[in-house]
């Protein structure tokens, strides 16, 4: 029995060493492949940041040395998981100029965090971005990216944060974006997006921040926006939105900011806006709103800013507005017929 056990141990030890050795080789090989794919993108840039000078593989005659020691994990802006695979890329404000055409979307399967904001990236967002299925955070804001948002963005179903604002993107908001059910922040402002706001955005019930301002969006505000019960900030201003303000917005009880100014909205201000007890900033200025100011706005006891000017409101200023202890910026001027009650 003792001899049999010893013999088993003698056989088992080389097997364990073989498995460990094979695993190490795989990790090393994967790391080198990821490094090479990142270097290919760096080489494609018109101007690579001096910060990327650490992105280099030193030549060596020993391939085994290369596999064990060549890792992108120590490069500027790169972080890896415990297995040595690229997990985070943070190159914000790095001074890089070029396109995303050679970015290794399909070669970084563990990538969860990408921040390429505040650079000079131009051209399209490639459809290959849909390969980054582990992605939780994507920030491409403040670049020069153009053309349409690819529908493949809807494949990134683990995303919590998506910032594409301050680019030159055009076309419509892809309906596929409504598949991002875990999304908490969606920023598309300061682009040239047109068409209507997709009603299916109401499916993104984890959203806390929705920013669509300074685009060319048209059509009505979808009723379904009222389903976004976790929404804290909503920016729809400076578009070409028409129709009435949906009363369903009154369900957004966590809302602190509601900006819908500089549109072509018409009809009355819904009484239900008075349900937004957390509201701090409310601006409906520069629209075509009509009717009277609802007395229910007197319930907005946390509101500090209330702008209703440059509309077609009529009637008297409701005395209930005197119940707003936090209010310090109230602007009601430039309406057609608005009488002040003292």
């Amino acid at each position: 029995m003792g001899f049999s056990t010893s013999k088993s141990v003698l056989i088992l030890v080389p097997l364990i060493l073989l498995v460990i050795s094979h695993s190490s080789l795989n990790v090393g090989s994967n790391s080198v492949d990821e490094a090479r794919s990142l270097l290919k993108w760096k080489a494609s840039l018109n101007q690579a940041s001096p910060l990327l000078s650490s992105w280099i593989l030193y030549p060596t005659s020993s391939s085994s040395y290369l596999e064990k020691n060549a890792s992108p994990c120590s490069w500027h802006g790169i972080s890896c998981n415990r297995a040595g695979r690229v997990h985070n890329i943070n190159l914000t404000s790095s001074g890089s100029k070029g396109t995303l055409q050679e970015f290794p979307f399909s070669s970084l399967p563990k990538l969860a965090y990408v921040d390429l904001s505040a650079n000079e990236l131009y051209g399209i967002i490639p459809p290959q971005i849909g390969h980054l299925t582990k992605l939780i955070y994507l920030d491409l804001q403040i670049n020069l990216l153009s053309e349409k948002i690819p529908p493949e963005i809807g494949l990134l179903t683990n995303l919590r944060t998506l910032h594409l604002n301050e680019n030159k993107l055009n076309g419509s908001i892809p309906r596929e974006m409504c598949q991002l059910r875990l999304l908490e922040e969606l920023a598309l402002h300061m682009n040239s997006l047109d068409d209507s706001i997709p009603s299916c955005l109401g499916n993104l019930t984890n959203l806390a921040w929705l920013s669509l301002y300074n685009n060319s969006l048209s059509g009505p505000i979808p009723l379904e926006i009222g389903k976004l019960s976790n929404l804290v900030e909503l920016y729809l201003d400076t578009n070409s939105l028409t129709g009435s303000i949906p009363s369903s917005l009154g369900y957004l009880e966590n809302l602190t900011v509601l900006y819908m100014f500089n549109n072509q909205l018409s009809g009355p201000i819904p009484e239900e806006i008075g349900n937004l007890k957390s509201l701090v900033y409310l601006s409906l200025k520069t629209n075509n709103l009509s009717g009277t100011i609802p007395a229910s706005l007197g319930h907005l006891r946390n509101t500090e800013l209330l702008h209703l000017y440059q509309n077609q409101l009529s009637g008297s200023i409701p005395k209930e507005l005197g119940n707003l202890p936090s209010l310090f910026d109230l602007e009601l001027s430039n309406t057609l017929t608005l009488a002040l009650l003292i």
Side-chain angles (χ1 to χ4, degrees):
M1 178 67 69
F3 175 78
S4 175
T5 303
S6 300
K7 186 175 180 181
S8 299
V9 169
L10 288 172
I11 293 171
L12 187 59
V13 168
L15 284 174
I16 292 172
L17 292 174
L18 180 62
V19 169
I20 293 173
S21 174
H22 181 70
S23 176
S24 298
L25 285 173
N26 279 343
V27 169
S29 176
N30 288 331
S31 185
V32 172
D33 289 343
E34 291 184 341
R36 285 174 174 157
S37 65
L38 286 166
L39 287 175
K40 184 178 179 183
W41 177 56
K42 175 188 172 184
S44 76
L45 296 175
N46 301 69
Q47 176 182 314
S49 167
L51 297 172
L52 302 189
S53 59
S54 63
W55 287 29
I56 190 169
L57 286 178
Y58 293 98
T60 176
S61 58
S62 168
S63 61
S64 61
Y65 175 87
L66 181 65
E67 288 180 348
K68 291 179 182 178
N69 296 280
S71 166
C73 302
S74 61
W75 293 357
H76 172 80
I78 303 294
S79 301
C80 296
N81 61 18
R82 290 183 179 181
R85 307 298 296 275
V86 175
H87 187 263
N88 288 17
I89 298 178
N90 187 348
L91 297 177
T92 183
S93 305
S94 66
S96 296
K97 181 178 182 179
T99 74
L100 293 173
Q101 293 288 21
E102 296 295 334
F103 188 87
F105 296 108
S106 58
S107 302
L108 302 173
K110 305 300 181 182
L111 196 57
Y113 180 106
V114 173
D115 190 343
L116 302 178
S117 61
N119 284 291
E120 294 184 64
L121 300 175
Y122 60 88
I124 68 168
I125 300 174
Q128 290 81 6
I129 199 168
H131 290 298
L132 299 178
T133 55
K134 302 290 186 184
L135 213 56
I136 294 172
Y137 184 101
L138 177 60
D139 193 340
L140 300 177
Q141 67 176 309
I142 316 176
N143 278 289
L144 303 169
L145 298 168
S146 59
E147 299 191 35
K148 296 182 178 182
I149 300 172
E152 288 80 5
I153 208 97
L155 299 174
L156 308 182
T157 53
N158 287 302
L159 271 184
R160 268 71 167 181
T161 298
L162 178 58
H163 294 168
L164 301 179
N165 51 289
E166 296 184 61
N167 279 285
K168 296 183 176 182
L169 299 167
N170 58 39
S172 60
I173 299 172
R175 272 55 181 170
E176 290 81 0
M177 198 173 280
C178 301
Q179 299 166 194
L180 307 180
R181 299 297 184 97
L182 301 180
L183 208 57
E184 297 169 3
E185 293 186 12
L186 177 57
L188 302 177
H189 58 267
M190 297 183 71
N191 281 290
S192 298
L193 300 172
D194 55 26
D195 204 353
S196 58
I197 300 173
S199 61
C200 61
L201 287 184
N203 296 334
L204 307 183
T205 52
N206 286 307
L207 272 183
W209 186 42
L210 176 58
S211 184
L212 304 178
Y213 71 87
N214 267 52
N215 278 290
S216 299
L217 296 168
S218 59
I221 298 171
L223 297 174
E224 290 79 4
I225 296 291
K227 294 164 59 178
L228 303 179
S229 57
N230 290 305
L231 209 56
V232 175
E233 298 183 23
L234 176 59
Y235 301 91
L236 302 178
D237 55 278
T238 318
N239 281 288
S240 298
L241 299 172
T242 56
S244 59
I245 298 173
S247 59
S248 60
L249 293 182
Y251 293 117
L252 306 181
E253 296 183 357
N254 294 309
L255 209 59
T256 62
V257 179
L258 178 56
Y259 280 174
M260 295 189 288
F261 60 86
N262 290 355
N263 279 291
Q264 299 168 30
L265 299 170
S266 58
I269 299 173
E271 293 276 349
E272 290 80 1
I273 297 294
N275 297 335
L276 305 180
K277 304 295 177 60
S278 300
L279 208 57
V280 178
Y281 302 103
L282 172 60
S283 182
L284 308 177
K285 67 177 184 178
T286 320
N287 278 289
N288 297 314
L289 298 173
S290 58
T292 59
I293 299 174
S296 63
L297 296 189
H299 299 151
L300 305 179
R301 299 185 62 82
N302 290 303
T303 297
E304 299 176 3
L305 179 148
L306 177 57
H307 287 178
L308 304 179
Y309 64 91
Q310 291 188 345
N311 278 290
Q312 300 179 39
L313 298 169
S314 59
S316 302
I317 298 174
K319 61 183 180 181
E320 287 81 2
L321 292 189
N323 299 332
L324 305 181
S326 302
L327 192 64
F328 70 85
D329 189 348
L330 173 64
E331 296 192 37
L332 306 174
S333 60
N334 294 335
T335 58
L336 284 183
T337 54
L338 189 59
L340 177 60
L341 287 184
I342 300 176

